[in-house]
Amino acid sequence: MTFAFYLGAGNIIFPPLAGYMAGEHLSLAMLGFLVTAVGLPLITIIAVAKAGNGWAGMTKLLPAGVATALAVAIYIIIGPAFAAPRTGLVAYEMGLKPFIGDMGQAGLAAYTVIFFGLAIVVSLNQGKLMDAIGKFLTPVLMVLLLALAIGVFAAPQGAMPDATGDYQNSPFVKGILEGYNTMDTLASLMFGALIVDLLRQKGINDYQGQFKYLAIAGLISAVGLSVVYVSLFQLGNTAAGVATDVSNGGAIVNAYVLSLFGQPGQFILAAIITLACFTTAVGLISACSDFFHNLTGMAYKKLVVLLGAICAVVANVGLSQLISLSIPVLVAIYPVAVALVLVTFLKGYFGRPRLVFRGVLIVAFLFGCLDGLGAAGMKMDAFAFLPLFDKGLAWLMPTLLACVVGMVVRPSEKLAAEAA
């Protein structure tokens, strides 16, 4: 189930494009991608288990307003701003466009209205239908991906392209930043608590048991995702001469499947991806509506309609454009998520944990914003002196330094006595 939570259409479209652009630097780029697309979500799930009580447990040392604002930002990113609209775009790019061609803006608008209209209807009336689709969909998708993986390694269809862009000079760091696009670390923060609740329903109520099973589930997911990513990286890395449209990973996968399995394989892929996108859209719209219902008191059904309509509007910017818009936001917000996970693990070493939690997250946010502005194309030459700034990781060293300071600085005896 945990693996199914992670595996969505977004996880399938990014690795092929990264593999294509990495060229001869495939190994380093893939390793960097695995750090943030597999390693971080796994560590985050374990951090959620360690903190206990899900999001509330991880953020209990933060001001309530800050914890709520961070949760709102994450839900907006994985909901109506980026992840949910992306499901409709991937369904269009991989499920319809290969067969009827580009229908232009009007065709995309019509498709997204129908796609998210149906998602709204199902979100309003959730029942056993979604469970049945989910139980059927994930195994079928895995069988297809496994067949694709075997085909990629046994019968590569094309040649290795030359490395382009940042993959020429810093493939490992570029892979790390590309791994942000899966958004799985942000998702881990939110649904880690859901998995803990499901464990309680299974009668696992003690902290040690929940930690154990959540860690095992996370490891199984990490292995599964790694197999998927490695095979898709290899697909992209042998797609030169096969894929003519390399604007996004969906187009590369479509061309490769057509070459490898012919038209029947492309039809099957289109059907599975469309269903995967649809179930993901329903899940994201439902989860976000439920969160904002509890936060604001606004009726759940009204929120479903509102968020579904926003998703349809946002989706009309196009897949490549939406990905471009999301990158600066993810570059800015991911350091905060990583910092929260880091201080959760180190809490026992801090002399003044409440102060350190807040200080580390502020540092990560401020320097993450610098990276985000740089990723958005703004001139940030004044900050070029910062370590790793040119790599898009200006937040890393200051955040680690803030953690070290938090471990070194201890409260005075008077403050310690007052705290006691």
Side-chain angles (χ1 to χ4, degrees):
M1 182 201 68
T2 307
F3 175 75
F5 274 163
Y6 285 120
L7 187 63
N11 305 85
I12 297 170
I13 64 171
F14 292 111
L17 181 60
Y20 187 93
M21 297 180 68
E24 63 272 20
H25 300 304
L26 172 69
S27 298
L28 283 174
M30 185 164 57
L31 182 60
F33 188 91
L34 292 175
V35 167
T36 46
V38 176
L40 273 181
L42 171 61
I43 292 170
T44 302
I45 278 288
I46 294 174
V48 171
K50 183 178 186 300
N53 200 26
W55 178 255
M58 290 190 74
T59 59
K60 65 182 179 182
L61 295 181
L62 299 175
V66 172
T68 300
L70 184 55
V72 168
I74 291 173
Y75 269 107
I76 289 175
I77 290 170
I78 66 173
F82 298 114
R86 189 173 70 189
T87 61
L89 284 166
V90 173
Y92 173 74
E93 289 280 346
M94 299 185 69
L96 186 64
K97 194 174 174 181
F99 307 104
I100 64 174
D102 192 344
M103 297 186 296
Q105 191 62 43
L108 175 61
Y111 183 88
T112 52
V113 167
I114 295 171
F115 181 90
F116 286 107
L118 291 173
I120 288 172
V121 171
V122 177
S123 298
L124 289 172
N125 302 284
Q126 280 183 295
K128 294 183 178 179
L129 175 63
M130 288 306 300
D131 290 335
I133 292 175
K135 289 175 183 177
F136 165 77
L137 176 66
T138 301
V140 174
L141 182 58
M142 277 309 302
V143 169
L144 180 65
L145 288 173
L146 184 60
L148 184 59
I150 294 171
V152 164
F153 286 100
Q157 298 297 294
M160 178 188 292
D162 295 326
T164 57
D166 292 335
Y167 287 103
Q168 293 176 306
N169 301 315
S170 51
F172 179 71
V173 174
K174 179 62 175 174
I176 286 177
L177 297 177
E178 285 298 309
Y180 288 174
N181 285 322
T182 64
M183 305 187 194
D184 282 341
T185 298
L186 301 181
S188 293
L189 289 170
M190 296 296 105
F191 66 61
L194 171 63
I195 300 172
V196 171
D197 288 339
L198 292 171
L199 286 172
R200 290 194 184 109
Q201 293 177 23
K202 296 292 185 182
I204 303 168
N205 296 305
D206 62 295
Y207 173 82
Q208 293 296 333
Q210 290 175 1
F211 185 90
K212 171 187 172 183
Y213 285 109
L214 196 50
I216 292 172
L219 285 169
I220 293 170
S221 302
V223 171
L225 286 174
S226 296
V227 171
V228 171
Y229 290 148
V230 168
S231 62
L232 290 175
F233 258 88
Q234 182 66 20
L235 181 152
N237 202 242
T238 56
V242 176
T244 54
D245 178 8
V246 294
S247 58
N248 60 71
I252 295 174
V253 174
N254 265 317
Y256 210 97
V257 168
L258 179 62
S259 176
L260 190 59
F261 298 115
Q263 198 74 44
Q266 199 174 34
F267 276 120
I268 295 172
L269 177 69
I272 296 299
I273 292 296
T274 300
L275 282 173
C277 290
F278 184 75
T279 53
T280 301
V282 171
L284 291 174
I285 291 172
S286 300
C288 291
S289 298
D290 188 59
F291 169 77
F292 287 110
H293 164 69
N294 293 327
L295 181 65
T296 66
M298 186 175 175
Y300 170 81
K301 291 187 175 182
K302 289 182 179 179
L303 283 164
V304 166
V305 174
L306 175 62
L307 293 176
I310 293 173
C311 289
V313 171
V314 174
N316 278 274
V317 303
L319 182 58
S320 299
Q321 291 81 358
L322 183 63
I323 292 171
S324 298
L325 289 171
S326 68
I327 288 173
V329 177
L330 293 174
V331 168
I333 197 69
Y334 248 75
V336 181
V338 176
L340 181 59
V341 172
L342 184 61
V343 293
T344 298
F345 279 111
L346 296 177
K347 182 170 66 173
Y349 299 96
F350 297 141
R352 303 178 66 180
R354 187 178 301 274
L355 180 62
V356 176
F357 260 64
R358 300 177 183 193
V360 170
L361 262 64
I362 289 173
V363 170
F365 176 69
L366 293 176
F367 284 91
C369 286
L370 294 181
D371 286 328
L373 292 172
M378 295 185 63
K379 287 189 176 296
M380 307 293 291
D381 296 342
F383 300 96
F385 65 92
L386 293 171
L388 301 177
F389 179 80
D390 60 326
K391 307 295 185 184
L393 295 171
W395 64 273
L396 184 57
M397 297 306 294
T399 302
L400 292 176
L401 180 60
C403 287
V404 171
V405 171
M407 289 187 284
V408 171
V409 175
R410 316 302 293 184
S412 65
E413 292 183 6
K414 180 180 179 180
L415 285 173
E418 290 176 355

